Amino acid sequence: MPRLLGRLAGRAAAALAAAVLVWAAAGLAGDRPLEVEAASLSAILDLAGVSHVRVGRTIYIIRGGEVVGLRIDWHCSGLVSYTIFLAASLLLPMRPWRRLYWLTAGFLVIYLANILRILLVAAAAEKLGVEAAASMHSIAGPLLLLGSVALLLSLEAAEVIRRGGRL
């Protein structure tokens, strides 16, 4: 039992260290990754025919005489959800190559869920206005991002259990 607790404590320390490193790296990266994400979203909005203007990391949706600004910040980038997934995933016992698989898959799923979330907010802004966009932002974030994290962790844990505790 003490050995198991020691391993869990080691994994918990690694999870905390990884979370701190992710946020430190985000702080050092500055606004550039957020501007790239905003540019990607702007291109998708162009394809969807949504009338907008992008300035840096802010996308302005034009709806009649109303302008709705959507600013991409680190908290809106999916980084919080990925950090939760990363930390929880590091607690599970698995070999490094399987962990890399799950962390990569998790990043892609969470990133795509976040793009869908932002597109839903932008669509609500364009079709219904700023209040609808604010409501969609409050609803879509927890459903899509935390839902993605819960689904990924469930699948990851099920794989660990199915393979007898260590992948």
Side-chain angles (χ1 to χ4, degrees):
M1 185 69 155
R3 186 174 167 203
L4 175 64
L5 290 176
R7 277 190 281 168
L8 274 176
R11 287 192 191 125
L16 178 61
V20 168
L21 285 174
V22 164
W23 281 92
L28 292 173
D31 288 349
R32 185 69 186 133
L34 300 174
E35 290 175 11
V36 170
E37 186 170 352
S40 300
L41 289 166
S42 180
I44 293 169
L45 291 174
D46 283 337
L47 291 173
V50 175
S51 180
H52 71 284
V53 174
R54 182 182 68 86
V55 178
R57 60 185 175 144
T58 303
I59 296 173
Y60 297 96
I61 308 272
I62 299 134
R63 179 183 180 263
E66 183 179 39
V67 176
V68 179
L70 303 173
R71 183 176 174 91
I72 309 298
D73 284 322
W74 282 112
H75 289 68
C76 297
S77 70
L79 191 61
V80 172
S81 299
Y82 187 72
T83 304
I84 292 168
F85 173 70
L86 170 69
S89 184
L90 289 175
L91 295 174
L92 294 172
M94 64 180 59
R95 289 191 166 75
W97 66 273
R98 287 305 295 168
R99 186 174 315 283
L100 180 61
Y101 165 81
W102 278 106
L103 294 177
T104 303
F107 174 81
L108 292 173
V109 167
I110 291 167
Y111 185 77
L112 292 174
N114 193 49
I115 287 176
L116 177 60
R117 177 188 69 89
I118 294 171
L119 289 174
L120 288 171
V121 172
E126 183 192 38
K127 301 292 182 199
L128 304 168
V130 70
E131 288 182 29
S135 294
M136 182 60 72
H137 186 271
S138 298
I139 294 168
L143 285 177
L144 290 172
L145 295 177
L146 295 180
S148 294
V149 169
L151 176 64
L152 286 162
L153 287 173
S154 297
L155 292 171
E156 191 176 17
E159 184 176 320
V160 169
I161 292 166
R162 187 175 63 249
R163 297 199 184 224
R166 182 149 178 96
L167 297 175

